[in-house]
Amino acid sequence: MFASFFNYQYPLVRGRQLAVFPDVTDPTGNITQPALEQIALAPGYYLISYKVSAIFRQANYMQVTPSYNGVPHLETSIYFAVSADGGGSACGSGFLILRAPVATTFFLTYSGSADATDGEISLTILKLRRAL
């Protein structure tokens, strides 16, 4: 059971959840997408990898935080600072093992210091074969 999602040339807006489009869907129904910004996960363990990149027109920072089981998880967020006066590109990736004792919703939120352009998002979710 696995699924992948993506988005590209996407504007990252502060305080907003990131929208992703399905690439490979999970026919078992353990990983579904009720909205472009949210992934629904059945109870279980999941390996999640994600990557986000974007362009800043001036010095800024990018922070992307995953949320699941009803709370944001700063310990698995990504952070990248662009200190150049003329801006630049930012990129970060993260991996986590998510324990969902009950059905949960997973999403990524952008909370950088300014909006960014040309965002690229890649998200892969693999359900692990381990009993709760």
Side-chain angles (χ1 to χ4, degrees), residues 117-129:
T117 63
D118 298 308
E120 188 273 332
I121 305 157
S122 175
L123 170 64
T124 302
I125 303 174
L126 173 66
K127 186 167 187 190
L128 303 173
R129 294 183 183 220

Side-chain angles (χ1 to χ4, degrees), residues 10-34:
Y10 179 71
L12 276 62
V13 178
R14 290 181 295 163
R16 296 231 179 136
Q17 294 176 4
L18 302 182
V20 291
F21 298 99
D23 183 23
V24 176
T25 59
D26 174 20
T28 69
N30 283 279
I31 305 165
T32 60
Q33 189 177 26

